[in-house]
Amino acid sequence: MMELDEQKIIQSWRINAGSWTHAVREERIESRKLVTNQAIVDTVMRYHPATILDIGCGEGWLARKLTERGAQVVGVDVVPALIERARQLGGGDFQVCSYEELAAGRLRRQFDAIVCNFSLLGNESVTNLFAAIPSLLHDGGHLFVQTVHPHIACGDAPYADGWRPGSWTGFGPEFSDPAPWHFRTVASWVRLFCTSGLTLIELLEPLHPETNKPASIVFVGEKPEVESFFETV
Amino acid sequence: MMELDEQKIIQSWRINAGSWTHAVREERIESRKLVTNQAIVDTVMRYHPATILDIGCGEGWLARKLTERGAQVVGVDVVPALIERARQLGGGDFQVCSYEELAAGRLRRQFDAIVCNFSLLGNESVTNLFAAIPSLLHDGGHLFVQTVHPHIACGDAPYADGWRPGSWTGFGPEFSDPAPWHFRTVASWVRLFCTSGLTLIELLEPLHPETNKPASIVFVGEKPEVESFFETV
């Protein structure tokens, strides 16, 4: 049985799918436009993956960008209204698929790269997904996770993992029903990589040019080649 | 030729060796007493190293603690007055040795673990030391680095690597000649590990019980077994 807070996340995206699509396509999210969109595209493409799985692809902008750069991209999202909008613009193979279905092996194929761009918002759903990531990657393949920077997102609250109330502040009046999200420390993110059998090979903190503080954090994990992989699990 | 700021660091420790020894032995540094001393001892001993090199050991408290826990410990520091004080209490094999001498292979032996506890304060000296760390570790051995947490230590300055002015604020009037220190972002610390051929296997952020913010950051790197090590360099 899925935790209530996990259900609320999905429910919120179902309700806000249309507003979100407009916000992304009109480039209304300043930090994405200024920093984090370019950061994730550049980081992924530096590794030259031929095949990419975009988990939590939303309306599909990142899949389209990566397709433009020559990759073959599958985008998955649990919200049908977002996948519908992604398919309207094309530039990727878009499928409705939950993190639970991914973890259960529904895709039956492996990729050179997996990218999760601000799409890991829950607790158990994320832990379970990480456990399944190696089965979705070729040996030597890479997982790219971009998320809010824990030290910026923490605010005045204790610096510890846990559910936090959500907010659409700054997104406009057309957004409603914000969902809670699960805060993770940097230490906790690193632990997710290491315990899933991935080697953390990069950690990036793209700077916001106006604040000179990190606009996000990007983790790059590598699935070891077979021999050493079995040593670590 | 050593950078002027690197020279100033060593000069400051020469001048303050006596005051520092009193401050440590009288447990006058609150965050060490409350959090970071226990954090580094516990983290190192979780890996059960039989032999440990304590780089920048100062007056030797950590070497003594690790010796009490059953390890055979070599402590090195470039400041003769600190090594002299360390030898007076014993609990380790203490030697005057600079980071440059370590990097040049002066020790001619390998350890199960290397620990740098708030002792990596410079720029080039640290980069050069990291390059030499694998030669000082057995295959499968570990490097433990505890340092100020970049997100706390950054303050209002831009979050970017660079030299910062030093201060002995809070240490008392007997301290003088604070040296500059080289700020590194979390991303920059992780890069040091990865580019030196170490696998980052843990990142810890021990919490200060009063502020509920990180009191420090601890990185644990592992020297891969021979085959995979040669693949990464």
Side-chain angles (χ1 to χ4, degrees), chain B residues 207-226:
Chain B
L207 282 200
H208 195 293
E210 286 163 9
T211 63
N212 280 313
K213 300 292 178 185
S216 67
I217 193 164
V218 181
F219 302 92
V220 184
E222 183 171 271
K223 178 179 173 180
E225 303 293 330
V226 178

Side-chain angles (χ1 to χ4, degrees), chain A residues 8 14 29 35 64 66 76 92 96-97 104 106 114 139-140 143 157 167 180 184 186 190 203 211 218 221:
Chain A
K8 281 184 186 163
R14 285 177 184 267
I29 309 164
V35 187
R64 284 193 296 279
L66 297 170
V76 294
V96 176
C97 183
R106 205 192 94 182
I114 295 175
D139 292 348
L143 170 65
S167 157
R184 286 179 190 279
V186 177
V190 170
L203 183 160
T211 63
V218 181

Side-chain angles (χ1 to χ4, degrees), chain A residues 53 55-56 76 97-107 129 132 135-136:
Chain A
L53 175 63
I55 296 182
V76 294
C97 183
S98 72
Y99 293 1
E100 290 66 32
E101 290 172 300
L102 280 180
R106 205 192 94 182
L107 285 194
L129 181 65
S135 70
L136 289 161

Side-chain angles (χ1 to χ4, degrees), chain A residues 130-206:
Chain A
F130 260 80
I133 290 287
S135 70
L136 289 161
L137 281 176
H138 291 133
D139 292 348
H142 297 99
L143 170 65
F144 302 85
V145 173
Q146 179 165 232
T147 187
V148 294
H149 198 297
H151 294 281
I152 307 296
C154 184
D156 294 332
Y159 185 72
D161 283 15
W163 287 96
R164 302 273 184 102
S167 157
W168 286 114
T169 301
F171 279 80
E174 64 276 27
F175 283 85
S176 70
D177 300 82
W181 62 286
H182 194 261
F183 178 84
R184 286 179 190 279
T185 64
V186 177
S188 172
W189 281 110
V190 170
R191 203 179 315 119
L192 272 179
F193 276 82
C194 296
T195 58
S196 69
L198 298 169
T199 305
L200 187 71
I201 59 170
E202 276 198 78
L203 183 160
L204 304 169
E205 298 171 299

